Amino acid sequence: MSLSALCLRCGLCCDGNLFSHVALRSDEVASARRHGLDVEALVGGAPALRQCCTALSQRRCTLYAERPEGCRAYGCRLFKELAAGRVSLEDALAVVDRAHALLSALNEGLPPDTDARPSPVMERARFADLSEDGLSPETRALRERTEVLLDEHFHGGPRRFAHAPGEPE
Ligand code: SF4
Ligand code: SF4
């Protein structure tokens, strides 16, 4: 129960702020497409699910019972810490809230998102940093603080990618 409470408040492993893609098995592709998920081929041809996932609705997976294996297998560091009883639910939720507050502040410092489909804040920050104008020192510092927090508490686990091969690091 507390694990689902954590994830329902979070959604970061599905909204594109942690990962650009989730690996799919080849036998999951047809079903993913049938459900309207955004399936892409990575460099090398392996199928993967583009994030932000179209099945995510207000931090809830609308395909939970039928989600791909890569989604089932994933648990972030914070999730594992809570599952092992090494952090309380209250403290874990506070970390999630801090991550969302940082992402929201970072979003304020970025150029407006003009894509029809909203792009993840961390992805936009990465590309804005590589652009000619770059990021202001304050926004770059915020981006770095956010990355540190995401690395410390959320990254890790199998079958997901921080970037599709060939995308900028
Ligand atoms: S990033 Fe971790 S806490 Fe957040 S939804 Fe994914 S598994 Fe749950
Ligand atoms: S199918 Fe569900 S669990 Fe998998 S990435 Fe999409 S929203 Fe997340």
Side-chain angles (χ1 to χ4, degrees):
M1 176 59 188
S2 61
L3 289 168
S4 60
L6 178 72
C7 293
L8 287 170
R9 180 105 140 232
C10 177
L12 288 171
C13 59
C14 306
D15 72 5
N17 281 304
L18 292 182
F19 304 103
S20 64
H21 293 81
V22 177
L24 285 177
R25 295 192 319 251
S26 52
D27 64 351
E28 292 176 321
V29 170
S31 159
R33 290 214 166 99
R34 212 167 38 247
H35 287 301
L37 301 184
D38 195 355
V39 178
E40 292 183 346
L42 300 177
V43 174
L49 184 55
R50 179 92 174 110
Q51 312 278 269
C52 172
C53 184
T54 51
L56 188 67
S57 174
Q58 298 187 336
R59 303 181 189 173
R60 175 187 291 269
C61 174
T62 56
L63 285 178
Y64 192 74
E66 298 170 82
R67 67 198 188 285
E69 184 197 320
C71 305
R72 292 174 193 276
Y74 185 73
C76 71
R77 292 205 175 109
L78 189 61
F79 181 96
K80 288 174 184 162
E81 291 289 298
L82 181 62
R86 289 192 289 268
V87 65
S88 68
L89 176 61
E90 188 185 5
D91 287 347
L93 291 174
V95 172
V96 165
D97 289 348
R98 203 155 73 242
H100 280 291
L102 279 169
L103 285 164
S104 174
L106 179 57
N107 185 45
E108 297 289 311
L110 296 177
D113 187 6
T114 52
D115 289 349
R117 176 176 168 183
S119 301
V121 172
M122 290 308 284
E123 183 180 294
R124 286 170 49 225
R126 194 162 59 243
F127 281 103
D129 212 5
L130 292 170
S131 72
E132 203 174 318
D133 292 342
L135 294 175
S136 69
E138 297 77 22
T139 306
R140 181 171 296 117
L142 201 46
R143 178 194 164 188
E144 286 165 5
R145 276 180 59 204
T146 310
E147 281 184 343
V148 167
L149 184 130
L150 295 182
D151 278 346
E152 183 182 349
H153 295 288
F154 297 96
H155 273 128
R159 296 183 67 78
R160 292 204 176 214
F161 300 95
H163 306 279
E167 282 189 351
E169 291 296 320

